[in-house]
Amino acid sequence: MIKTVKDVDLKGKRIIMRVDFNVPMKDGVVQDDTRIMAALPTITYILEQKPRSLVLMSHLGDPNKDVKKAAEKAEKAGKPFTDADKEKFINGKNRMAPVAAYLEKKLGSKVVFLPDALGQKAAIDSLPEGAVAMLENVRFHKEETAKTAEEREPMAKELATYGDIFVNDAFGTAHRDQASTATIAKFMSAQPVGGFLMEKEVKYLEPMLKDPPKPMIAIIGGAKVSSKIAVLNSLLKNASALVIGGAMAYTFLKVQGHTVGKSLVEDDFLDTAKKLLDDAKAKNVKIILPVDHVGATEFKGDAAPVAVEGVDIPDNLIALDVGPKTLELYKEAIGSAKSIVWNGPVGMFEYDNFAKGTETVAKLVAEATGRGAMTVVGGGDSVAAVNKFNLASKMSHVSTGGGASLEFLEGKTLPGIAILATK
């Protein structure tokens, strides 16, 4: 386990803290405050210890990439994208000032907004005792996401002058080696520590990777085998069963000789899928693939659902959800599990016609939690699903990091965690 803010003396110290406030914004208004609320316990604790100051830093989208996409979209629509349009877009999507104001309301105390991530040492040094400040979006500086340490270091070195202790509570960016997430640690005299959110993520994800309560079931869904094969291989070491759902399942069904109609298949990954099936058999790990489906004639949310009662999908259909027989297999597997990790939906749950499979999985995992099983939900779409069905509070842990949780479960070293002191 990692050391946290509770393991160090914060009184009178200047704290520089990386948070993940990369929240959905529309016209400068926060649309979902989940990540902000997740950081509040750490922020509140730090302030209770009476530090000299607390400076928060985060990214909020990527201004350069976001502007480029917006300009391309406008160009396709035949509309000009002027400098005024660019500024309005950035103000509505990438500026941290509205986030600082939102945090101020939730915190119930002043949050000073600093209009840049760099050049702020004098302003920080002059903050009132115990003040909270928030830097502008760190990704306005290309050095933040530069590929080499040499390019990131000048920015990281300056950020390090803002604090005596670096606290990383941004699990959502822990898999990124960036100036404000990991490189900064090189220039801190004290060993960096984690916040409570980071501690919770490691507490629940690490056992799933190393020594989960058994039997352990992994439910892995989503669109592509290519994006999930590493986590499938990693979880194969400890799982009693792997439930493979979503569009990626059809690559596995095709390699088994089944017809998949117009469903998504990654032909380049057929051999990869076959190897996983062979490895699972050798390890005596049960693979659960769909045995029936809910399909449609086209890939549209409002398409009329068509029941496919067998495993083979007719040529004119694309499978968009699993059927009732498959859900019975899920129920049997999940019902006996003492630990469950779920990453990726099993159908196009965003649309009611094709949401039953993913909703049922969410309910089954919630029921397992109630029985005492350790349940971890990771990945943006899975988290969106448990939120949609109002079941997030029924899980042991819902991860705040999509890519980070996936890479953690793949067994990769996450730079933002590797820098933290350990117990």
Side-chain angles (χ1 to χ4, degrees), residues 368-382:
T369 314
R371 291 195 310 270
M374 180 189 286
T375 59
V376 176
V377 181
D381 287 337
S382 309

Side-chain angles (χ1 to χ4, degrees), residues 141-157:
H141 297 273
K142 67 180 187 301
E143 295 88 354
E144 165 69 4
T145 56
K147 291 185 178 179
T148 68
E150 289 75 19
E151 291 174 292
R152 296 191 301 271
E153 282 177 359
M155 180 175 179
K157 189 173 184 178

